[in-house]
Amino acid sequence: MTLNRRLIATALLLVGLGLIPIIAKSIGYLFLLTLFTRIVILAIAAVSLDLILGFGGMISFGHAVFLGIGGYAVGIAAHHGYYSALVQWPIGLAASALFGLITGALCLRTRGVYFIMITLAFSQLVYFLSVGIDSYGSDDGLTIYKRSTMGGLIDLGNKTTFYYVCYASLLLCLFLAWRIVRSPFGRVIQAARSNENRLQVLGIATDRYRLVAYVIASTMCGLAGILLANHTDFISPALIHWTRSGDLMIMVVLGGMGTLFGPVAGTIALLVLEEVLSTITEHWMIVLGPLLLLMALFKRGGLSALLGGRKA
Amino acid sequence: MREALVEVVDLVKTFGGLVATDEVSLTLHQGEIHAVIGPNGAGKTTLISQLSGRLKPSGGKILISGRDVTHLPVAARSRMGLARSFQITSLFFDFTALDNVAIAVQASRGHSFRFWQDVTTDEAIYGPARQFLSRLGLEARAQVPAGDLSYGEQRQLELAMALATKPRVLLLDEPMAGMGHDESAKIIALLREIKNDYAILLVEHDMKAVFALADRITVLVNGAVLASGPPESIRGNPEVRRAYLGETTPKEGGVR
Ligand SMILES: Nc1ncnc2c1ncn2[C@@H]1O[C@H](COP(=O)(O)OP(=O)(O)OP(=O)(O)O)[C@@H](O)[C@H]1O
Ligand SMILES: [Mg+2]
């Protein structure tokens, strides 16, 4: 059964990710831990994007804005002396959800290229806002001197601990996404991608469902932003730049849209390739570009298509 | 007379200077098949689209069970019991045949803001879905992606989906177009069998099917009603015969 093969591949991938701190320690490559912390965090963002892009057919070209909102929530709160995760995280998540709700309601009135452009426009708006606000570092960004505190229970300053917090967050998001995809709600989202007009004739007002999916994805990506700010101890407008949104899209497409294995595999592939190629040549983008092109041309389903079988 | 489920009153639809629906009035009764016939471009699909809510009329009124729905959106009308099949096959082509019907069943069971229930194993949805599929004789094709079905099978799947929403009113736009003889015979038998439970508007070019099924026939030409009545009166109507032989003189602002 190819379906089982995909399940096994996903499980192996996740178990492998769970072993990273041990592997890194035993072979003495501690930078691996840093790299994979980043991978796990961005995988959350990629999974969230895949919910709307892959499953929902909403081609958002501004998804990184939610990395920024989550990140800036942590940075700004820390700047004002609020370090508790109980303060920072709910603010980051709520701000992402709210921004997703407002911009989503506007963006989702459009379709196709217009949707791509307007999501891009909103993210650029926030980008220039973050560049323009001097009190929060503008171009130079904002250093975060202390990671989110968790009442002394969990020390995010510890690299291994932090990795496992990110890892657990990824597992949680994957589980949520998996449940959603199989739920009546998820069915509606996928059917709307396939033939929205038909769905309306069946009596389902697709707009609301698409908006709720958009808000869920926004919030999930906000979580990635919160973690990313803690990981880098620093936030800057670069977090929101459109190229970052493009990276997220590449991860999803590279791994395989509309699968849960895809965005995780795609994130690993892209960041590891980036890492490896950049040690060989500083013009790594020249190598990576054609590689992605080949992938798009010959393996339309992305990495997950290599496993064969139907989408799961 | 049986209950009037749908009433169309003086409906007008213009596309620029073209009058696609020209003061059309008609009624659909529970338990009756009302056929709408007319040459290509007569405005049959345009009429159905206005009934289903896809197109906004330029004038006139549409009532469902006496309630004015002229300005209600598509989904709201479906929830009032309207179902439509499309002249140009409209399916979830990357879903399996069974999943196509399943989403239709799901749509008939209230809202879908349920995030935690596993629909893929839900018998309350898949049980009825399989029933509707076998009603159209497609049970052996359940797991085939809709895009890979033959054209005739896709038309049957359209009908299965329309029925699966548990409608009271069926708007069927050429359900038998492109079907083989056996397939259309099957659909004719099915429609006859189920018609008591619905009010059906049937647009169809196959005159044999129309006269075999219809309780009432309305003839549209250039967007306007040329004649309306029981099949016998339509069959003998000289104007209708002329219209079908293509000898009509175009009405002012009408369709050529
Ligand atoms: N969206 C539109 N914009 C402009 N004109 C349209 C539009 N839709 C239909 N028309 C025109 O309205 C007229 C009626 O079209 P309609 O599709 O309703 O005809 P029909 O009776 O269903 O024909 P057929 O038997 O070929 O299906 C045609 O002249 C068509 O070109
Ligand atoms: Mg037509």
Side-chain angles (χ1 to χ4, degrees):
Chain A
M1 278 290 286
T2 49
L3 208 75
N4 277 340
R5 225 194 307 168
R6 187 186 300 276
L7 213 64
I8 292 167
T10 309
L12 284 177
L13 199 71
L14 294 178
V15 170
L17 284 178
L19 296 176
I20 287 293
I22 299 167
I23 298 171
K25 220 168 269 167
S26 61
I27 60 174
Y29 281 3
L30 275 181
F31 81 91
L32 260 191
L33 190 56
T34 310
L35 172 64
F36 271 86
T37 306
R38 189 176 177 73
I39 286 176
V40 166
I41 293 171
L42 289 178
I44 295 174
V47 168
S48 74
L49 177 61
D50 191 33
L51 269 182
I52 50 173
L53 174 71
F55 290 99
M58 298 169 242
I59 307 176
S60 166
F61 198 1
H63 204 57
V65 75
F66 300 105
L67 283 178
I69 291 172
Y72 268 91
V74 171
I76 292 173
H79 185 70
H80 293 290
Y82 298 101
Y83 292 106
S84 169
L86 281 177
V87 176
Q88 291 180 347
W89 293 32
I91 291 178
L93 295 176
S96 302
L98 190 66
F99 191 77
L101 182 68
I102 294 167
T103 60
L106 295 168
C107 295
L108 289 169
R109 286 161 177 263
T110 64
R111 296 286 182 274
V113 179
Y114 299 102
F115 182 78
I116 300 177
M117 297 312 289
I118 194 170
T119 49
L120 175 64
F122 273 121
S123 74
Q124 286 301 88
L125 197 79
V126 176
Y127 173 77
F128 286 115
L129 200 72
S130 65
V131 169
I133 296 184
D134 292 332
S135 45
Y136 299 128
S138 67
D139 254 344
D140 301 330
L142 205 57
T143 302
I144 300 169
Y145 293 101
K146 197 163 114 191
R147 290 189 175 174
S148 305
T149 56
M150 298 191 146
L153 288 173
I154 302 170
D155 175 19
L156 295 187
N158 179 304
K159 282 190 170 167
T160 306
T161 307
F162 183 65
Y163 180 82
Y164 278 117
V165 167
C166 297
Y167 178 66
S169 305
L170 174 62
L171 291 185
L172 176 71
C173 290
L174 277 172
F175 179 65
L176 288 178
W178 182 69
R179 291 300 306 218
I180 288 173
V181 165
R182 297 165 71 87
S183 72
F185 175 81
R187 264 291 160 82
V188 166
I189 292 306
Q190 293 167 73
R193 171 201 65 207
S194 178
N195 189 344
E196 185 176 4
N197 176 39
R198 188 72 182 92
L199 200 56
Q200 287 172 350
V201 175
L202 289 176
I204 295 178
T206 51
D207 288 347
R208 296 170 218 169
Y209 293 89
R210 286 157 52 93
L211 181 57
V212 170
Y214 194 81
V215 172
I216 292 173
S218 307
T219 314
M220 205 179 267
C221 192
L223 174 63
I226 290 170
L227 294 171
L228 198 59
N230 274 291
H231 175 54
T232 51
D233 303 312
F234 174 74
I235 45 163
S236 77
L239 213 55
I240 309 169
H241 197 255
W242 66 269
T243 52
R244 183 58 65 83
S245 294
D247 285 345
L248 292 179
M249 287 175 95
I250 291 174
M251 292 167 190
V252 173
V253 174
L254 183 66
M257 290 192 289
T259 68
L260 293 177
F261 172 81
V264 181
T267 308
I268 298 174
L270 185 69
L271 294 195
V272 169
L273 268 177
E274 224 176 75
E275 196 72 27
V276 172
L277 291 178
S278 63
T279 59
I280 301 170
T281 160
E282 66 181 287
H283 304 296
W284 53 271
M285 243 352 234
I286 298 176
V287 186
L288 191 60
L291 220 67
L292 288 173
L293 202 66
L294 284 178
M295 194 77 189
L297 285 176
F298 294 109
K299 262 293 165 209
R300 294 194 66 193
L303 294 173
S304 80
L306 298 173
L307 299 169
R310 285 185 52 217
K311 291 176 176 182
Chain B
M1 182 142 289
R2 303 227 214 174
E3 188 194 353
L5 272 181
V6 177
E7 285 169 89
V8 176
V9 186
D10 296 334
L11 203 65
V12 176
K13 177 70 187 175
T14 54
F15 293 115
L18 182 133
V19 185
T21 305
D22 191 358
E23 303 204 344
V24 170
S25 298
L26 55 81
T27 312
L28 304 183
H29 295 279
Q30 163 82 38
E32 279 186 13
I33 295 182
H34 190 146
V36 173
I37 62 173
N40 290 106
K44 305 181 293 292
T45 299
T46 305
L47 175 64
I48 287 193
S49 294
Q50 291 172 86
L51 284 174
S52 76
R54 177 87 191 282
L55 284 178
K56 284 215 178 319
S58 314
K61 269 197 302 193
I62 298 166
L63 310 170
I64 300 179
S65 303
R67 183 174 160 210
D68 189 339
V69 300
T70 316
H71 301 290
L72 279 190
V74 176
R77 292 189 204 188
S78 303
R79 289 195 294 270
M80 292 181 71
L82 219 64
R84 166 182 193 178
S85 81
F86 287 82
Q87 177 175 7
I88 297 164
T89 311
S90 180
L91 301 166
F92 305 102
F93 289 102
D94 49 350
F95 283 27
T96 64
L98 183 58
D99 284 346
N100 269 274
V101 187
I103 187 97
V105 173
Q106 183 184 319
S108 72
R109 290 165 49 87
H111 71 82
S112 291
F113 283 108
R114 295 189 294 264
F115 302 87
W116 213 247
Q117 175 188 332
D118 190 345
V119 74
T120 59
T121 56
D122 189 350
E123 256 324 283
I125 285 177
Y126 277 93
R130 263 184 241 104
Q131 268 172 25
F132 285 111
L133 208 55
S134 30
R135 188 133 201 205
L136 273 295
L138 289 173
E139 63 272 24
R141 309 289 277 160
Q143 298 306 329
V144 179
D148 294 346
L149 293 174
S150 78
Y151 185 73
E153 288 170 337
Q154 290 183 349
R155 304 298 303 164
Q156 294 169 44
L157 185 55
E158 278 262 353
L159 211 50
M161 287 169 72
L163 294 178
T165 58
K166 301 235 181 75
R168 293 181 298 154
V169 181
L170 279 173
L171 309 172
L172 306 177
D173 199 351
E174 305 198 19
M176 288 161 247
M179 278 192 185
H181 182 265
D182 290 351
E183 283 173 329
S184 11
K186 212 166 68 183
I187 299 298
I188 291 175
L190 176 76
L191 289 179
R192 194 177 279 141
E193 181 192 320
I194 65 173
K195 78 171 205 183
N196 267 327
D197 301 330
Y198 306 94
I200 299 177
L201 187 151
L202 174 70
V203 169
E204 188 51 59
H205 276 299
D206 177 353
M207 285 307 125
K208 255 211 246 132
V210 166
F211 283 99
L213 284 169
D215 298 292
R216 170 173 281 273
I217 298 176
T218 292
V219 185
L220 277 189
V221 176
N222 297 337
V225 176
L226 180 73
S228 185
E232 316 81 67
S233 78
I234 297 299
R235 203 195 296 270
N237 187 321
E239 271 195 278
V240 174
R241 288 180 168 270
R242 229 180 306 130
Y244 265 98
L245 291 172
E247 290 168 15
T248 46
T249 42
K251 295 175 61 149
E252 234 179 300
V255 188
R256 240 163 306 135

